[in-house]
Amino acid sequence: AQSVTQLGSHVSVSEGALVLLRCNYSSSVPPYLFWYVQYPNQGLQLLLKYTTGATLVKGINGFEAEFKKSETSFHLTKPSAHMSDAAEYFCAVSYNAGNMLTFGGGTRLMVKP
Amino acid sequence: DSGVTQTPKHLITATGQRVTLRCSPRSGDLSVYWYQQSLDQGLQFLIQYYNGEERAKGNILERFSAQQFPDLHSELNLSSLELGDSALYFCAGSPGQSSYEQYFGPGTRLTVT
């Protein structure tokens, strides 16, 4: 069964600093990869996705992620954190279009002024 | 706003009771997915319906059931409720079998006392 690991359940950065949230998946078959963000008391919003093609994908709010097959990773980055980025971030995988998502445990990002 | 609606927003009920959660996907979304988010289990896929038919099942208890109606809205029925069923229940919609994105509703927070 596929699994998704997010290293670090809590990450704290200063405003303006680099954001790096880590995601690794375990599968011999490369999945489709997603990052979702959840703000307090809200549902999940898609930040970005990788399906095929260019391995560096750009998403909303200045986030981007790179699919590295050799490392089975899909880390999420943003060059400069804003206070409004404070939220919980989930990495997810799927193995076919129209299929369920398998989520990682989530990483809560805190941004210090 | 994803365009997916869920009602009620909050639900408080007692052990042993039965509740129904409702989800209306975006116009044209044929697939509906149900997920459970709890502190100990994280985000878990429960069940998927596509155009009225059950398509996939995840970690859904036998006490839980779902259906999708001709107008494509879906209901998740939870019966013989236990304290451990307290969680946030999300539904997500997707246009169809060839789509990767899932659009999440705001969730229903269920508290079982």
Side-chain angles (χ1 to χ4, degrees):
Chain A
Q2 62 265 28
S3 67
V4 182
T5 302
Q6 291 183 239
L7 189 62
S9 58
H10 292 79
V11 169
S12 181
V13 301
S14 297
E15 193 172 20
L18 171 72
V19 175
L20 170 61
L21 305 183
R22 299 178 187 274
C23 172
N24 288 86
Y25 64 90
S26 64
S27 169
S28 57
V29 177
Y32 302 115
L33 296 148
F34 308 82
W35 276 99
Y36 281 84
V37 61
Q38 184 179 27
Y39 297 101
N41 301 313
Q42 292 188 29
L44 286 83
Q45 180 183 9
L46 180 66
L47 273 179
L48 49 79
K49 67 179 187 291
Y50 170 77
T51 54
T52 59
T55 56
L56 180 64
V57 292
K58 295 185 186 299
I60 62 172
N61 302 338
F63 284 94
E64 61 182 40
E66 186 171 11
F67 168 54
K68 292 188 176 180
K69 184 179 176 181
S70 61
E71 298 178 8
T72 60
S73 69
F74 190 57
H75 302 331
L76 182 71
T77 60
K78 181 173 180 177
S80 176
H82 295 167
M83 297 296 291
S84 60
D85 294 327
E88 187 144 21
Y89 292 80
F90 292 92
C91 181
V93 303
S94 175
Y95 285 88
N96 279 302
N99 274 21
M100 60 177 241
L101 295 169
T102 299
F103 287 90
T107 297
R108 184 167 298 278
L109 176 66
M110 294 166 283
V111 182
K112 299 176 292 186
Chain B
D1 185 350
S2 67
V4 179
T5 60
Q6 288 188 249
T7 56
K9 192 168 184 175
H10 300 277
L11 197 48
I12 301 174
T13 189
T15 54
Q17 295 299 304
R18 173 189 169 93
V19 297
T20 297
L21 313 183
R22 182 188 169 104
C23 167
S24 293
R26 304 174 315 157
S27 176
D29 281 356
L30 298 177
S31 271
V32 170
Y33 306 77
W34 286 96
Y35 293 87
Q36 179 195 59
Q37 184 179 32
S38 62
L39 284 175
D40 52 346
Q41 300 288 335
L43 261 165
Q44 287 194 104
F45 166 71
L46 295 177
I47 196 164
Q48 177 199 1
Y49 276 81
Y50 175 76
N51 205 19
E53 294 192 3
E54 183 184 302
R55 186 55 57 102
K57 257 184 174 177
N59 297 323
I60 188 166
L61 300 171
E62 284 191 13
R63 301 183 285 108
F64 295 2
S65 65
Q67 54 185 327
Q68 186 180 27
F69 295 87
D71 67 353
L72 301 178
H73 91 271
S74 178
E75 293 181 356
L76 180 67
N77 301 296
L78 315 177
S79 61
S80 303
L81 285 168
E82 302 175 0
L83 295 178
D85 297 327
S86 296
L88 198 50
Y89 291 84
F90 288 110
C91 81
S94 179
Q97 294 297 90
S98 60
S99 177
Y100 301 99
E101 290 94 350
Q102 294 183 21
Y103 298 91
F104 282 77
T108 292
R109 183 169 295 281
L110 172 67
T111 303
V112 182
T113 61

